[in-house]
Amino acid sequence: MKKVAVFASGRGSNFEQFCIAQKEGCLSGEISLLVANKAGIGAIETAQKFNVAHEIIDHKDFSNPDSYNLALLTCLEKHKISFIALAGWLRLIHQSIIEKYRNKIINIHPALLPFFGGKGMYGQHVHKAVWESGMLVSGATVHLVDAEFDRGPIILQEGIQLSHSDSPEAIASKVLKIEHTIFPKALNLLLKEKITVKNNRVIF
Ligand code: GRF
């Protein structure tokens, strides 16, 4: 069984969808580890509820970035992890991890990339920017991870119609429903298929 680690920094509703999919036998791999960047986050409670191991690796506990990245890599090796899903993970993934897990790390972004992505574009900032733009569509994107925020090749993307009266919070809740369907689907694609990347496009 291919082992997956989920990295989360907060509430963990996407992580919970993976756990549910696994419980229902709909996942072609095993969610075997949650990596949390701090104690007390919702994702840890979910890990305990679904009996998934968790490790807290907080960059503030390390004197320099190298020792932090090494701790992440050592943890992944210890748990024999083959794939990584970033589910609300707020830190950039270091090149050393990307190289070791090339085309095996996915991220979910709550907008239609390449729009409304990049540094500082996370959580409510994204939905507020969409609202301010006046756009009447938004959506979610699952993509492979490279060394820049929200940039790698797209695996799945789905849009949703917005209405003029939608607040940023209403947009967030519409988009979250899409996230919860496409993220487990994209993870399964990654687990089942051999994927390659050509011209910044994913090929299955
Ligand atoms: C999601 O909107 C995800 O797209 C973004 O962070 C949020 C995490 O939500 N990257 P949750 O912790 O999975 O509930």
Side-chain angles (χ1 to χ4, degrees):
M1 199 63 130
K2 293 164 186 166
K3 290 178 187 282
V4 180
V6 180
F7 284 25
S9 306
R11 176 180 56 186
S13 71
N14 279 288
F15 169 57
E16 184 172 28
Q17 292 306 311
F18 289 145
C19 295
I20 292 170
Q22 167 160 279
K23 202 171 163 201
E24 290 173 349
C26 304
L27 214 61
S28 306
E30 183 196 337
I31 303 295
S32 46
L33 175 67
L34 169 76
V35 175
N37 74 327
K38 55 179 180 237
I41 61 171
I44 295 177
E45 278 175 39
T46 303
Q48 286 162 341
K49 185 170 137 201
F50 285 90
N51 278 322
V52 174
H54 75 273
E55 303 257 7
I56 300 167
I57 304 182
D58 187 342
H59 66 283
K60 293 195 207 95
D61 295 337
F62 296 86
S63 53
N64 59 65
D66 283 352
S67 55
Y68 167 68
N69 291 317
L70 187 63
L72 282 173
L73 269 175
T74 309
C75 169
L76 295 169
E77 266 163 32
K78 179 178 123 195
H79 289 269
K80 301 188 168 36
I81 298 300
S82 306
F83 294 88
I84 302 171
L86 308 181
W89 179 254
L90 295 179
R91 297 189 61 77
L92 208 55
I93 297 295
H94 187 258
Q95 197 60 38
S96 57
I97 301 176
I98 290 172
E99 269 161 28
K100 172 119 200 275
Y101 288 89
R102 182 151 311 277
N103 295 341
K104 290 186 171 156
I105 311 177
I106 56 175
N107 178 49
I108 182 119
H109 184 74
L112 296 175
L113 291 175
F115 305 108
F116 306 107
K119 197 168 168 28
M121 274 293 180
Y122 62 88
Q124 276 307 111
H125 299 292
V126 179
H127 305 297
K128 198 158 171 281
V130 170
W131 182 81
E132 277 167 359
S133 78
M135 274 186 71
L136 289 174
V137 284
S138 191
T141 307
V142 182
H143 63 95
L144 289 172
V145 170
D146 66 13
E148 300 268 338
F149 278 116
D150 305 323
R151 202 193 52 179
I154 292 171
I155 299 177
L156 279 182
Q157 189 165 51
E158 197 176 305
I160 177 101
Q161 184 71 44
L162 305 178
S163 85
H164 290 283
S165 60
D166 280 336
S167 61
E169 292 73 26
I171 298 173
S173 111
K174 282 184 172 177
V175 167
L176 192 63
K177 285 198 190 107
I178 295 181
E179 294 185 44
H180 290 170
T181 45
I182 69 167
F183 207 10
K185 239 190 240 172
L187 179 60
N188 260 336
L189 279 174
L190 188 73
L191 291 167
K192 278 189 198 154
E193 315 265 342
K194 246 197 144 30
I195 73 162
T196 48
V197 174
K198 207 173 168 194
N199 300 328
N200 204 38
R201 300 183 71 89
V202 170
I203 300 167
F204 291 101

